[in-house]
Amino acid sequence: MSVVLESVTKTFEDPQRPAGKVTAVDGVTLEVNDGELVTLLGPSGCGKTTALRIIAGFESATSGRVLIDGQDVSAMSPHVRNTAMVFQSYAIFPHLTVAQNVAFGLEMRGRARSEIEFRVQSILELVGLAGLEHRSPEQLSGGQQQRVALARAIITEPRVLLFDEPLSNLDAKLREQMRGEVRKLQRRLAITSVYVTHDQSEAMALSDRIVVMDAGRVQQVGAPLEIYARPASRFVADFLGRVNFLEGDVTDIQPDRVSILVRGRSLEVPASRSDLRVGEAASLVVRPETIRLTQASTGVSGAFVGTIRRAVYLGSTAEYDIDWDGGTLLAVVSSPLEHGLLLEGTRIAFDFPAATAHVLPHPPGRRD
């Protein structure tokens, strides 16, 4: 089942605002393909949860349409749309057992007892809860409670599965485990899904495509690798992971590459935009993990030179803040056990593969 949002806008009354209203979703157009998992990603207040609730029917759009499998469902109530939502708070009934919670949706639909029992057992096995049928929610861990919520959502065979930050109440290790299980289950069932989160790692791990939102508007839509490697704006680059911005000037533009002069050094990077102009300022997006460090003395040719101001050992990686020409650069180096730690105060040379950098036009009026 496909899900389509056509120019969806949602405004709320807000007497504290000068106009008396606030626009939570601002002209969002989006298509989620059959069997695809698309994540709405953005900071708090960006409109992602409101957009999800509009798909579910819990909120009505001020303007625009919502279509599921080509059918306009904008005026339909939630239960008629046949979507299911997994909530952040789990929303499972504390007075019912695991099996009773999972069976609830089928009982409301008047299904036969034999069918309910068979499907409940099948779903519990699918989500790894077999043998816990008679436990109460208070006897379950957070991860098990989330599995109950997931089982209850999918047992009714919804056309669309919706997730409202379902893993945010779990600890970091369990959250990482659960997101893998959610993704595996979604692929196995091939349910068209829309997932809301503010966690960039979660979005990257789960999604076929990511929709980055800010101030109610879509900033970029694409596969995780595309958005991470080729962000459409400084906001997207900065929100999706950590980033360094190297400021410079465009000196040459070719069909496949752009030359940028950064601190007296000319760098050639892949061309991926049509709004760059020779002679204009530009920013290079350089991810910290692409930076290569070597100990060096002042005057090393072919690389930038700086001094390590802060060194942090994190087990699988080491992070370095580098003082460089009046600014600070972040570098993340893998396998510190193999390569050793660089000490604070060490003079180093650093570089990065040009193919991993991405160029953005400099914001108007800004000159760092």
Side-chain angles (χ1 to χ4, degrees):
M1 299 293 172
S2 63
V3 177
V4 176
L5 278 65
E6 292 184 348
S7 302
V8 169
T9 294
K10 177 64 177 181
T11 59
F12 293 98
E13 298 295 328
D14 186 354
Q16 296 183 346
R17 297 292 181 99
K21 294 182 178 181
V22 59
T23 300
V25 178
D26 192 358
V28 169
T29 294
L30 173 68
E31 181 172 357
V32 182
N33 299 316
D34 183 31
E36 187 178 31
L37 191 154
V38 169
T39 295
L40 307 183
L41 174 69
S44 297
C46 73
K48 58 188 184 295
T49 296
T50 301
L52 190 77
R53 290 175 62 84
I54 289 172
I55 295 171
F58 300 149
E59 299 282 356
S60 298
T62 305
S63 62
R65 299 195 304 164
V66 177
L67 295 90
I68 297 180
D69 200 29
Q71 179 185 16
D72 188 346
V73 300
S74 304
M76 293 182 180
S77 58
H79 73 278
V80 177
R81 299 186 187 198
N82 192 21
T83 63
M85 186 176 289
V86 182
F87 295 93
Q88 176 180 348
S89 61
Y90 313 145
I92 56 180
F93 302 116
H95 61 288
L96 300 181
T97 66
V98 168
Q100 290 168 338
N101 264 286
V102 176
F104 183 80
L106 295 180
E107 291 175 346
M108 291 298 99
R109 287 164 171 78
R111 300 297 177 83
R113 173 53 52 186
S114 58
E115 178 190 355
I116 292 175
E117 291 177 353
F118 174 77
R119 291 182 60 180
V120 167
Q121 191 60 42
S122 298
I123 290 296
L124 290 179
E125 291 177 2
L126 186 64
V127 300
L129 291 177
L132 304 181
E133 295 88 343
H134 303 298
R135 290 195 183 182
S136 63
E138 65 181 13
Q139 296 175 304
L140 303 177
S141 68
Q144 290 170 333
Q145 291 184 47
Q146 189 56 274
R147 287 187 178 94
V148 173
L150 185 58
R152 189 179 60 185
I154 63 178
I155 197 170
T156 59
E157 298 181 342
R159 294 197 293 176
V160 180
L161 192 55
L162 307 173
F163 296 87
D164 186 13
E165 306 214 37
L167 308 182
S168 59
N169 288 334
L170 304 178
D171 63 59
K173 187 172 183 179
L174 184 55
R175 186 164 62 244
E176 184 174 341
Q177 176 188 340
M178 281 299 300
R179 72 191 185 198
E181 294 184 11
V182 167
R183 183 55 166 150
K184 185 191 303 182
L185 185 62
Q186 186 271 336
R187 282 178 168 169
R188 180 173 177 179
L189 298 175
I191 299 179
T192 305
S193 302
V194 182
Y195 194 103
V196 161
T197 185
H198 64 275
D199 187 313
Q200 300 93 326
S201 297
E202 197 168 290
M204 296 278 285
L206 283 168
S207 311
D208 292 306
R209 286 187 299 148
I210 296 173
V211 180
V212 182
M213 296 184 65
D214 185 43
R217 297 181 178 180
V218 173
Q219 303 298 314
Q220 188 174 357
V221 181
L225 177 59
E226 174 190 350
I227 291 182
Y228 187 78
R230 301 288 180 258
S233 66
R234 289 177 74 99
F235 170 81
V236 175
D238 198 28
F239 190 80
L240 201 73
R242 292 182 293 177
V243 66
N244 299 293
F245 294 108
L246 277 58
E247 311 305 336
D249 296 287
V250 179
T251 58
D252 186 44
I253 299 176
Q254 299 296 327
D256 61 340
R257 58 181 172 79
V258 176
S259 296
I260 309 291
L261 186 64
V262 177
R263 310 288 174 92
R265 182 180 172 193
S266 182
L267 303 172
E268 290 189 352
V269 300
S272 58
R273 300 182 66 106
S274 61
D275 54 353
L276 298 169
R277 301 289 181 270
V278 172
E280 293 186 353
S283 301
L284 275 186
V285 176
V286 178
R287 296 295 183 182
E289 66 275 10
T290 68
I291 295 177
R292 302 172 295 200
L293 305 180
T294 56
Q295 293 193 46
S297 59
T298 304
V300 174
S301 62
F304 298 109
V305 176
T307 302
I308 294 177
R309 184 185 65 175
R310 183 184 69 100
V312 179
Y313 174 64
L314 296 173
S316 61
T317 61
E319 294 183 0
Y320 301 103
D321 284 343
I322 302 169
D323 280 335
W324 172 56
D325 201 12
T328 302
L329 199 76
L330 173 65
V332 176
V333 178
S334 62
S335 303
L337 286 178
E338 177 184 356
H339 301 113
L341 282 175
L342 297 171
L343 301 179
E344 295 176 359
T346 302
R347 191 76 170 164
I348 52 93
F350 65 90
D351 208 339
F352 51 88
T356 65
H358 176 62
V359 62
L360 293 172
H362 219 287
R366 178 171 179 171
R367 188 72 180 179
D368 294 342

